[in-house]
Amino acid sequence: MEKEYLNQEREQIIDFGLKMLSAGLTTGSGGNLSCFNRDLGLIAITPSGVEYPDLTPDGIIVMTPDGALCQGEGTPSSETGFHLALYHARPDVNAVVHTHSPYATTFACLGREIPPVHYLVACAGKKVSVAPYAIFGSMELAESIVSTLGDDNAVLMANHGLVAVGETLSRAFDTAGEIELVARIYYQSLCIGTPVTLSDHQMDNVMEKFKTYRLPQ
Ligand SMILES: [Zn+2]
């Protein structure tokens, strides 16, 4: 099989996979990443069950938006379904990062959304909602994530983890990291007191300011 598609994207997937591991956003082969080159109509996605340090460019899977395999050794991520569903639902999204980061996942396991206790919640939206539970790898999970995410950029997956999306892999990764930080701060705040949440109006202002402060990457 020819291995000539998405060379840059496949290298990026490996770089951000390793970053995901070193940032403590996942362990082992948990979580997955993908990016969509809309000009070429091709998606690069992590393979299933390979630990991040063992990833090679030839091991990154390349597929069409309908899931037809173009190249790559091994099998695509078990969560390919929700990656593809997100690209179909959101024309502004070119990258998806899924983590099992511990603080965000703690709230996901409580079925508890993350309110705007810190302005950085605006990376995701006015809050981080919880997509109802469905078993991993299922179409039900894809539907749950897409419908709960709406126009936001991150969503908790009940009893599972976090999904962040963005126009680039770098942006989706940053959002996953910022939401993990906010989840940790929220958890710590709950441990010693009652967190103060920002108002709807205050969050409107933050989100407006992010349009120029968080420049496209
Ligand atoms: Zn997962």
Side-chain angles (χ1 to χ4, degrees), residues 165-194:
V165 300
E167 65 267 36
T168 63
L169 200 46
S170 173
R171 176 55 58 82
F173 177 83
D174 284 352
T175 295
E178 300 289 26
I179 296 308
E180 174 63 6
L181 174 68
V182 172
R184 180 175 179 172
I185 291 166
Y186 182 40
Y187 169 85
Q188 291 174 171
S189 304
L190 287 167
C191 288
I192 57 171
T194 306

Side-chain angles (χ1 to χ4, degrees), residues 1 8 15 18 49 62 69 90 117 128-129 151 160 166 181 202:
M1 188 183 290
Q8 200 182 333
D15 288 348
L18 292 171
V62 177
L69 298 181
R90 290 278 299 270
V117 288
V128 189
S129 302
D151 293 328
H160 187 151
L181 174 68
Q202 286 170 322

Side-chain angles (χ1 to χ4, degrees), residues 30-32 79 82 98-100 136 157 160-161:
N32 33 69
E79 299 295 11
F82 76 67
H98 164 51
T99 74
H100 297 163
F136 72 93
M157 304 154 68
H160 187 151

Side-chain angles (χ1 to χ4, degrees), residues 122 126 201-214:
K126 287 188 178 178
H201 176 65
Q202 286 170 322
M203 285 304 290
D204 277 337
N205 289 341
V206 175
M207 291 177 80
E208 187 59 34
K209 203 161 181 177
F210 265 20
K211 286 181 187 168
T212 51
Y213 175 71
R214 283 190 109 216

